[in-house]
Amino acid sequence: MKNASVKVLLVTAGAVLFNIIFWHEKLGVNSVLFDVFILWSVFYLYPSAFANRPMKWLLAAHIITLAAVIIQNTFLSKLAFSATLLLVVVFSQYLHRSVWYAAASAVMNYLLVIPSFFTSIKLLKGIPFNFYGIKKSLRFLVIPLLLLVLFFLLYNFANTIFKSLMNDVSLALQHFFNRFFTWFSWQRLGFLLLGLLVTGGLLLKSSVTYFSEADARKVNELLRKKNDLVKWKKTSWFDLLSLLMGRFANGVMALRNENKTAVTSLFLLNGLLLCINCVDITYVWFGFSYNSDINLSEYVHEGTGLLIFSILLAMLLLLFFFRGNLNFYRQNKWLRSGAYAWLLQNAVLVISVLFRDYYYIEHYGLAYKRIGVLIFLILVLAGLMTVFIKIQQRKTAYYLLRVNAWFAIVVLVAASCIHWDETIARYNLARKDTITLDVKFLLSLSDKVLPELEKNADVLDRTSKPGEHEEGEYLYRSSLTPRQVFENRKKEFSAAHKTYTWLSWNMADSYVKKELMEIAIKHTSTIIN
């Protein structure tokens, strides 16, 4: 009951804090204030959870993303900050090991935030309210309050300085209440309700423990099970095998027949992928020569599409073949060898796509999709490694999904520490004379690139051939010239930041303002001289 009152108080206070520090502001110092409040509240409500080692690592990752918001202030840093904060909260409320199940618990917290809030309020009705104690306290306050009013009036008439000071206080209070009613609006009320939703979803634990209990039942180690033939014949796996193998999927020889089928399948697939890899090694690794007739965009996307399909097929096939007792079959040596060869060839395919992406970057510079391909390749390599561990050490599919989800969180946290827009602009502008520069794409990036464009203002007057920069043309969408768009961007940046307070401060915006001001001063002094 006491805990319910604390939760209601914390959620209400969090909603008010959210309303004050985020209204008409962008994420900056205010995110630190809100984060400190949420973490302190979670620690107060669930202190024992922070003693766990996984929670310490998760908390460290969250602090890194919080620093990334202040330093880089990118969309990716804000996404990583929000994701890790949710995970810290959910892992403190429930017993979880998997990010997937923890995400499901977080979703349930938000879906049931209104019932959880009213349940906490309902519990407050059981708290006894001591009217007698309040009445007794008021009686003791009557005489002191009367004396306070009497002496206040005496001092007000006798001391002109005190009277002037009290008039100032009165005017300040009047000004405050006038501003308060001006401050209030339906939009502000809606924003308050949003703060109540956000804070409630973070601090109120739902009554649904299904996902935490399901997570606790999952195991990492694969165990050999004695199949009940009657139940086995009723499963969808048996129907699938019967459809593909007929009577060979039935009887005491079913496991042996399944092993033969798996070995044959992997042998054929390895042969097919070997042909593709030989072609890539010959023409992509060592025989590539760029010319204007090659569409590098299609060249990269073609390889990436093939990689995605191949990896998904590899995952599904290997999960199917190594789903159960075939892991413990004594004569599965060739099956394991075929699986390892399949994984190795997919790793070769990853390198082929890496070469394609490298050629694309070398001739056209960096862009979101090209960086995305690199990050995807890192995740793919991690996935291939975990599949290898699953087969070698007889792990479950739960292990595979759990480990890869954690690796994805690590990659997200690491990627949030880099300002990708600034990296793209600096890389491309440093090679403006050697690559095909997409100026319109650079103008679509965040404000952090404005100083780099100012330093390389000559590129704003470049003309490009129609259809030469498809990505830039798609993102640009303006009838103004690149130079006009750039000048408008600077004015909009300056105008927008005049409306923000110290709550929105971050290093990225501070750097842009400082750099633009220094460049403007140098430009003015050059004209005068």
Side-chain angles (χ1 to χ4, degrees):
M1 198 175 296
K2 182 180 178 181
N3 195 32
S5 62
V6 172
K7 286 183 178 179
V8 171
L9 179 63
L10 288 175
V11 171
T12 305
V16 173
L17 178 66
F18 182 92
N19 190 275
I20 293 173
I21 64 178
F22 289 120
W23 176 252
H24 286 170
E25 302 283 353
K26 63 187 299 186
L27 283 186
V29 174
N30 47 16
S31 61
V32 178
L33 300 176
F34 186 72
D35 194 60
V36 169
F37 173 80
I38 293 296
L39 291 180
W40 179 85
S41 301
V42 172
F43 180 78
Y44 178 81
L45 294 172
Y46 314 99
S48 60
F50 287 83
N52 300 327
R53 181 176 294 180
M55 177 60 76
K56 292 179 181 178
W57 284 105
L58 192 56
L59 190 60
H62 175 64
I63 293 173
I64 291 173
T65 61
L66 177 61
V69 170
I70 299 299
I71 298 171
Q72 306 293 6
N73 207 248
T74 60
F75 170 78
L76 194 61
S77 64
K78 296 169 186 176
L79 176 64
F81 166 76
S82 303
T84 52
L85 178 59
L86 270 176
L87 288 176
V88 168
V89 169
V90 174
F91 271 79
S92 64
Q93 295 172 335
Y94 305 90
L95 292 176
H96 276 300
R97 293 173 297 162
S98 169
V99 172
W100 300 105
Y101 285 99
S105 293
V107 171
M108 291 307 301
N109 278 358
Y110 274 98
L111 289 177
L112 300 176
V113 62
I114 296 177
S116 298
F117 185 72
F118 282 104
T119 299
S120 299
I121 292 178
K122 187 177 180 181
L123 290 173
L124 294 179
K125 294 181 179 179
I127 299 177
F129 199 73
N130 193 351
F131 287 101
Y132 176 77
I134 295 176
K135 186 177 179 181
K136 185 178 179 180
S137 300
L138 289 175
R139 285 181 177 178
F140 281 110
L141 285 173
V142 170
I143 295 176
L145 288 175
L146 288 174
L147 290 173
L148 178 65
V149 171
L150 176 63
F151 279 92
F152 174 81
L153 294 174
L154 288 173
Y155 293 148
N156 193 51
F157 284 115
N159 192 320
T160 55
I161 298 177
F162 180 77
K163 181 178 181 180
S164 177
L165 180 63
M166 288 301 100
N167 287 335
D168 291 340
V169 171
S170 176
L171 289 173
L173 289 173
Q174 184 179 357
H175 181 64
F176 168 78
F177 283 108
N178 288 336
R179 287 192 63 186
F180 174 79
F181 288 108
T182 305
W183 167 84
F184 177 80
S185 65
W186 289 110
Q187 291 82 1
R188 196 72 187 258
L189 178 62
F191 196 72
L192 179 65
L193 294 177
L194 176 63
L196 196 65
L197 175 66
V198 171
T199 311
L202 290 170
L203 299 182
L204 296 178
K205 176 183 176 182
S206 73
S207 58
V208 178
T209 58
Y210 170 80
F211 296 105
S212 61
E213 293 171 359
D215 195 0
R217 289 193 300 267
K218 296 294 182 180
V219 294
N220 292 317
E221 306 296 331
L222 198 61
L223 302 176
R224 187 168 188 174
K225 296 180 180 179
K226 186 177 181 180
N227 291 327
D228 187 333
L229 291 178
V230 177
K231 291 183 178 180
W232 163 244
K233 290 180 180 180
K234 295 179 181 179
T235 62
S236 56
W237 288 116
F238 176 79
D239 294 337
L240 179 60
L241 285 175
S242 298
L243 179 64
L244 298 174
M245 299 173 60
R247 61 186 181 85
F248 293 105
N250 203 354
V252 294
M253 302 296 289
L255 195 61
R256 180 182 176 183
N257 294 331
E258 186 181 343
N259 181 66
K260 288 182 178 180
T261 303
V263 170
T264 305
S265 300
L266 287 176
F267 176 79
L268 295 174
L269 289 172
N270 270 302
L272 178 62
L273 189 52
L274 179 62
C275 294
I276 294 172
N277 282 332
C278 287
V279 171
D280 279 346
I281 291 172
T282 303
Y283 294 99
V284 178
W285 292 26
F286 303 109
F288 179 81
S289 179
Y290 176 72
N291 60 70
S292 58
D293 295 331
I294 297 177
N295 189 325
L296 283 176
S297 177
E298 293 181 4
Y299 192 64
V300 172
H301 295 160
E302 175 187 298
T304 307
L306 177 63
L307 173 65
I308 294 172
F309 178 76
S310 179
I311 294 300
L312 290 177
L313 182 60
M315 298 285 188
L316 292 174
L317 279 174
L318 295 179
L319 284 175
F320 177 76
F321 290 143
F322 291 92
R323 71 190 183 280
N325 288 341
L326 202 56
N327 289 272
F328 305 95
Y329 185 58
R330 292 182 180 180
Q331 300 179 21
N332 68 353
K333 179 181 177 180
W334 287 105
L335 177 61
R336 286 177 176 271
S337 299
Y340 296 152
W342 176 252
L343 292 173
L344 180 61
Q345 289 212 80
N346 276 278
V348 173
L349 190 59
V350 168
I351 299 174
S352 298
V353 175
L354 181 61
F355 271 108
R356 292 169 185 257
D357 200 39
Y358 167 74
Y359 298 142
Y360 201 0
I361 293 171
E362 184 182 21
H363 292 90
Y364 285 93
L366 286 174
Y368 291 139
K369 292 180 181 178
R370 291 155 225 174
I371 295 172
V373 169
L374 296 176
I375 294 175
F376 173 74
L377 294 179
I378 294 173
L379 295 174
V380 166
L381 287 175
L384 292 174
M385 188 175 295
T386 52
V387 171
F388 174 81
I389 295 172
K390 172 197 163 24
I391 296 172
Q392 186 188 48
Q393 300 183 11
R394 296 170 180 171
K395 299 290 186 179
T396 59
Y398 168 80
Y399 164 84
L400 192 69
L401 295 172
R402 182 177 66 84
V403 172
N404 280 283
W406 279 115
F407 186 78
I409 293 296
V410 171
V411 172
L412 176 63
V413 172
S416 70
C417 297
I418 302 173
H419 201 297
W420 292 106
D421 285 10
E422 184 182 28
T423 302
I424 290 171
R426 285 186 174 179
Y427 181 91
N428 293 355
L429 289 171
R431 295 160 179 80
K432 60 185 178 182
D433 297 325
T434 59
I435 67 173
T436 304
L437 192 65
D438 192 346
V439 178
K440 292 184 176 180
F441 169 68
L442 294 179
L443 284 170
S444 69
L445 301 178
S446 63
D447 294 329
K448 189 71 181 289
V449 307
L450 293 179
E452 294 299 321
L453 286 172
E454 184 73 73
K455 295 173 185 176
N456 298 270
D458 57 295
V459 303
L460 298 172
D461 298 320
R462 287 189 180 183
T463 57
S464 58
K465 298 177 182 178
E468 185 178 24
H469 310 307
E470 295 179 2
E471 188 169 7
E473 292 289 349
Y474 175 75
L475 295 171
Y476 187 72
R477 294 185 177 181
S478 175
S479 58
L480 302 176
T481 65
R483 184 170 288 278
Q484 289 173 330
V485 170
F486 174 67
E487 294 299 328
N488 287 343
R489 285 281 304 274
K490 289 195 297 182
K491 292 177 183 178
E492 290 170 1
F493 174 82
S494 300
H497 282 78
K498 288 179 181 178
T499 64
Y500 297 139
T501 67
W502 62 271
L503 291 168
S504 297
W505 186 91
N506 60 84
M507 288 184 65
D509 290 343
S510 178
Y511 164 80
V512 174
K513 287 190 285 186
K514 179 184 175 182
E515 288 292 312
L516 290 178
M517 187 177 297
E518 290 181 355
I519 293 171
I521 293 172
K522 289 180 181 178
H523 182 67
T524 304
S525 61
T526 303
I527 294 174
I528 293 173
N529 294 332

